[in-house]
Amino acid sequence: MTESSSSKLLNGDTCHRTANGKKAARNGFVKNHCLLQQQQQLQKYRRPKEKSIQSHHVSRNAALYNKPFVESFEETPLLVAVLTYMGYGILTIFGYLRDFLRDWKIEKCHVARERDEQKDFVPLYQDFENFYTRNLYMRIRDNWNRPICSVPGARMDLVERVTPDYNWTFEHTGRVMEDVINMGSYNYLGFAENTGTCAEESAEATLKYGAGVNSTRHEMGNLDKHEELENLVARFLGVEASMAFGMGFATNSMNIPALTGKGCLILSDELNHASLVLGARLSGSTIRVFKHNNMQSLEKLLRDAIVHGQPRTHRPWKKILIVVEGIYSMEGSIVRLPEVIALKKKYKAYLYLDEAHSIGALGPRGRGVVDYFGLDPRDVDIMMGTFTKSFGAAGGYIGGKKELIEYLRSHSHSAVYAASMSPPVAQQIIASMKCIMGEDDTSLGRDRLRQLSENTTYFRRRLQELGFIIYGNEDSPVVPLMLYMPAKIGAFGREMLKRNIGTVVVGFPATPIIESRARFCVSAAHTREMLDTALARHRHPLRLQKSRPLIVRCCAVRWHQSGCAAFSAG
Amino acid sequence: MDVKHMRDYLGWLYYQYLLITGIYVLEPWEKSIFNTVLFTMVAMVVYTSYVFVPIHVRLALEFFSGLCGGQHESAMALMS
């Protein structure tokens, strides 16, 4: 027996994804060649003693890593889960009540609905998503889409708004909420600024080139700035060539279709970003989904793909592309890149790595998740990333072999049809990237990287000490703090804002329904005082709870009973 | 001082109740419907248990004591 019981369970779970419901070959030959399961078997008996609350994600192939890889996804406490479902149940009942009232014209309906002449056709607004939007999201809508009226750096100014009709419409009062601590922007290295070298250089670029280019790269829109930018990005990533696009989302959704097509297989992480999902779907390839960051699941899919080939014909797949992200922005987890690369090499697949959140934010030199694990960038076939986050600009890039980039340059929709990147934006990227690389003759970039990593460690540690349930890798600057209950999404956002802290709260469509969360993005621009202020908002009430001898798992309950108390009291 | 502390504590409890049941996000009239329904139900449960539980307890006690005692008596009757 080479399969451990845990992997059997996983196999059972993923079997339904294999073509035609065929089970994996049950002969020992394939099993014995299984890279990760063998190692796991060895490790099973000497698994390092991790914290008991760590989930199954904790290191299995420790030999592949050059540093401890600690990720925690604490299980939802049962009581909290039950209460959360109860809360949704109550809200759903009231949702039905309101829908009933709207239907009978007792109250005015503010949202789109079928016109009278459409009444006999298939209903358009009856599915769960519409119900959710109408009856749950609308009630706490004031937490999102808030207008900002300053540079969204470490602090920002918000436009104050009020709603006369419970979030159906908003009115601006004309006042401004000043100096709100910004814990929500993806401003990891703090390059979202309106002063300093980057801003000055972009201003100069605007004066020289103007703001728009009004043409595509193929025609009259190829500036020397773009060439400079691409060379710099290639140098930064350590790849042969690179290519920049004006929009990060389109970089994913338009380039994957250029890379794969019919007869290809895409293995995609279940928590991949919408842009990757869209790209994969547009490509027309077969898509199979593996469990989040779960290498057993990925290996199972890879083996099945190779053993069985395409459905029905059983021809081998033309290409197998593994699509993963560097940092998953909702979970704060970091991809198990060394294992993915080992698998990719073993099964001769291609690897598409989306470093949207990790580029600039991870690694001793800020060069993303490859740098973080100390790996060779040439092992990743397609390095994709965005300039929207750490660089404080806009757009995306793709890096890789020269042939790949040249192919994409002539085949990708976002290269051929999209207007080229605005010159000040390109200049901002060049300046910030040079700063990170230390080519501006200052230690500013290095300081920022160090500051970010210090802030991350500090913020995560303090939150853990305070007893919150937080998800993700301990080195990830994205810190999701679990809220669970639907009312707490609204309450947390509002009460934090009342205390001058801007956070992002995330609910159902973006997360599983019971795992609502608040997401903090730590930035190098945050000072220790700001983080302390943010943390202090929860600390005070916890004092009265800490004496209670509760097991760690109750932290969620403990916090939720106390954390929000501060809000009511304060 | 103590009264204020008590009031804060009650306020906190009510806030927790709002958050956990989810009615925090509801409009006031919906909140009052929910509270009324819940209060009525709780009141009825309390009242019902106040009325019927003592009777049931007494009946149960009688039944069990009768069970033990009766057996004893019948055994005695056999003996004689």
Side-chain angles (χ1 to χ4, degrees):
Chain A
M1 279 297 287
T2 48
E3 269 184 325
S4 67
S5 59
S6 66
S7 61
K8 247 185 200 160
L9 207 121
L10 283 168
N11 289 350
D13 278 350
T14 48
C15 259
H16 66 277
R17 298 192 197 281
T18 59
N20 300 336
K22 275 196 165 28
K23 295 280 183 288
R26 285 283 160 205
N27 55 24
F29 180 76
V30 182
K31 281 182 202 160
N32 283 333
H33 278 71
C34 186
L35 175 77
L36 291 179
Q37 286 181 2
Q38 276 179 350
Q39 286 183 4
Q40 192 206 356
Q41 189 70 18
L42 291 175
Q43 295 249 326
K44 198 178 157 191
Y45 302 105
R46 51 184 177 83
R47 186 169 290 174
K49 204 177 167 192
E50 303 284 351
K51 278 181 225 162
S52 57
I53 55 161
Q54 305 291 331
S55 73
H56 58 281
H57 286 264
V58 174
S59 63
R60 286 193 198 90
N61 296 284
L64 290 171
Y65 293 91
N66 60 352
K67 64 179 83 181
F69 187 80
V70 185
E71 255 174 28
S72 73
F73 295 93
E74 195 173 328
E75 225 176 286
T76 309
L78 184 66
L79 178 63
V80 175
V82 170
L83 291 174
T84 309
Y85 278 120
M86 187 194 74
Y88 274 112
I90 293 169
L91 292 181
T92 310
I93 291 170
F94 277 98
Y96 278 119
L97 173 69
R98 299 298 291 270
D99 271 1
F100 174 82
L101 295 180
R102 283 181 201 122
D103 216 37
W104 284 78
K105 307 254 169 29
I106 298 172
E107 78 167 296
K108 193 173 172 294
C109 183
H110 298 271
V111 272
R113 58 192 317 186
E114 293 96 346
R115 275 180 283 164
D116 281 336
E117 55 266 38
Q118 292 174 309
K119 285 288 185 213
D120 298 326
F121 289 84
V122 178
L124 296 173
Y125 304 109
Q126 270 185 16
D127 62 343
F128 179 69
E129 309 262 324
N130 277 300
F131 179 85
Y132 184 88
T133 312
R134 213 164 40 226
N135 295 310
L136 281 87
Y137 169 71
M138 269 301 171
R139 296 181 190 275
I140 48 174
R141 191 163 75 112
D142 55 322
N143 288 299
W144 291 280
N145 305 346
R146 219 171 249 290
I148 299 171
C149 54
S150 72
V151 58
R155 285 179 184 273
M156 59 186 174
D157 299 340
L158 293 181
V159 176
E160 193 183 77
R161 56 179 191 181
V162 290
T163 170
D165 50 2
Y166 298 99
N167 294 347
W168 289 102
T169 55
F170 290 104
E171 284 165 12
H172 293 179
T173 58
R175 283 192 295 274
V176 169
M177 307 169 74
E178 280 176 359
D179 283 340
V180 175
I181 297 177
N182 180 0
M183 297 297 293
S185 295
Y186 307 128
N187 181 20
Y188 300 120
L189 291 177
F191 279 113
E193 320 169 286
N194 51 6
T195 53
T197 0
C198 297
E200 281 162 22
E201 285 187 24
S202 334
E204 274 168 34
T206 319
L207 291 178
K208 186 173 172 198
Y209 296 92
V213 187
N214 311 343
S215 185
T216 67
R217 294 290 294 281
H218 278 206
E219 292 157 11
M220 307 299 280
N222 193 18
L223 303 181
D224 57 347
K225 277 287 160 219
H226 296 132
E227 303 273 337
E228 185 188 345
L229 172 65
E230 286 175 352
N231 292 335
L232 185 72
V233 171
R235 208 146 46 81
F236 180 68
L237 297 172
V239 292
E240 284 177 19
S242 85
M243 175 168 192
F245 302 89
M247 177 180 172
F249 189 98
T251 312
N252 275 334
S253 56
M254 294 289 105
N255 280 308
I256 297 178
L259 293 167
T260 61
K262 218 165 172 302
C264 301
L265 175 67
I266 292 179
L267 298 178
S268 168
D269 191 290
E270 64 178 347
L271 296 180
N272 271 347
H273 189 251
S275 55
L276 293 166
V277 174
L278 179 67
R281 286 183 186 163
L282 285 177
S283 73
S285 334
T286 308
I287 305 163
R288 289 188 188 149
V289 181
F290 60 92
K291 289 193 176 161
H292 175 55
N293 232 349
N294 187 320
M295 293 304 121
Q296 275 79 37
S297 177
L298 173 60
E299 178 161 32
K300 174 77 175 58
L301 288 184
L302 274 169
R303 280 197 299 152
D304 280 356
I306 288 167
V307 172
H308 298 298
Q310 298 185 32
R312 286 197 296 280
T313 59
H314 294 289
R315 284 189 193 130
W317 295 101
K318 286 182 191 160
K319 275 175 241 169
I320 299 179
L321 183 68
I322 303 170
V323 182
V324 290
E325 284 186 46
I327 292 182
Y328 291 86
S329 64
M330 283 298 160
E331 312 295 302
S333 53
I334 297 178
V335 65
R336 302 175 152 273
L337 195 62
E339 289 174 77
V340 177
I341 287 181
L343 282 176
K344 164 207 123 93
K345 282 182 176 165
K346 182 173 165 63
Y347 294 97
K348 308 231 170 6
Y350 295 97
L351 177 58
Y352 187 106
L353 174 65
D354 176 352
E355 294 216 77
H357 287 267
S358 53
I359 192 75
L362 274 187
R365 297 178 304 157
R367 297 180 188 191
V369 70
V370 178
D371 186 29
Y372 174 74
F373 287 113
L375 299 165
D376 186 353
R378 279 168 298 185
D379 284 339
V380 181
D381 299 285
I382 302 124
M383 303 260 277
M384 180 270 162
T386 58
F387 303 124
T388 328
K389 280 125 194 167
S390 302
F391 302 103
Y397 66 81
I398 281 206
K401 291 216 168 61
K402 206 161 172 28
E403 298 86 10
L404 170 84
I405 301 302
E406 272 164 10
Y407 172 80
L408 283 178
R409 230 179 257 288
S410 49
H411 285 84
S412 152
H413 282 61
S414 57
V416 180
Y417 297 110
S420 55
M421 188 184 270
S422 162
V425 172
Q427 185 56 49
Q428 160 81 17
I429 302 162
I430 293 171
S432 53
M433 198 172 276
K434 278 189 173 161
C435 181
I436 298 170
M437 292 165 87
E439 290 187 3
D440 59 345
D441 301 324
T442 62
S443 63
L444 213 66
R446 217 173 332 118
D447 292 343
R448 282 176 196 247
L449 285 169
R450 193 178 35 78
Q451 185 69 42
L452 174 64
S453 121
E454 269 175 24
N455 283 353
T456 304
T457 320
Y458 177 73
F459 195 68
R460 277 188 170 265
R461 201 194 62 227
R462 293 289 299 135
L463 279 180
Q464 238 150 15
E465 282 169 4
L466 293 172
F468 300 95
I469 293 187
I470 54 173
Y471 271 10
N473 194 295
E474 56 179 8
D475 288 327
S476 132
V478 185
V479 189
L481 185 151
M482 302 312 286
L483 298 173
Y484 298 111
M485 295 169 203
K488 280 178 184 165
I489 309 173
F492 191 84
R494 287 175 198 163
E495 298 294 340
M496 286 301 262
L497 191 65
K498 236 181 249 173
R499 282 155 187 76
N500 236 16
I501 298 165
T503 54
V504 175
V505 281
V506 196
F508 159 61
T511 66
I513 196 144
I514 63 162
E515 290 177 9
S516 311
R517 60 198 69 177
R519 191 182 53 179
F520 299 102
C521 292
V522 181
S523 160
H526 290 137
T527 58
R528 192 52 72 85
E529 289 73 48
M530 286 182 200
L531 295 182
D532 279 332
T533 323
L535 288 160
R537 303 307 185 209
H538 328 290
R539 189 164 47 194
H540 154 250
L542 273 163
R543 217 180 297 142
L544 85 183
Q545 294 282 337
K546 271 203 169 153
S547 54
R548 271 197 215 168
L550 282 173
I551 52 166
V552 187
R553 275 172 193 261
C554 285
C555 283
V557 191
R558 193 173 68 180
W559 173 68
H560 291 296
Q561 287 168 349
S562 56
C564 292
F567 303 153
S568 67
Chain B
M1 172 64 199
D2 220 25
V3 177
K4 188 181 171 293
H5 185 248
M6 196 63 199
R7 222 185 47 214
D8 279 355
Y9 181 69
L10 286 179
W12 174 76
L13 271 184
Y14 181 64
Y15 195 74
Q16 290 307 312
Y17 160 76
L18 289 183
L19 284 180
I20 287 171
T21 52
I23 60 171
Y24 172 84
V25 299
L26 298 185
E27 289 170 29
W29 66 271
E30 291 169 311
K31 256 181 223 174
S32 45
I33 287 181
F34 182 84
N35 284 336
T36 315
V37 169
L38 193 73
F39 180 77
T40 318
M41 271 161 59
V42 170
M44 285 196 306
V45 167
V46 169
Y47 177 72
T48 319
S49 43
Y50 170 73
V51 170
F52 289 105
V53 166
I55 297 172
H56 282 290
V57 168
R58 193 160 50 77
L59 283 175
L61 275 177
E62 271 174 23
F63 175 73
F64 283 112
S65 64
L67 214 63
C68 302
Q71 214 172 21
H72 186 68
E73 266 171 29
S74 62
M76 286 300 282
L78 269 175
M79 289 281 283
S80 63

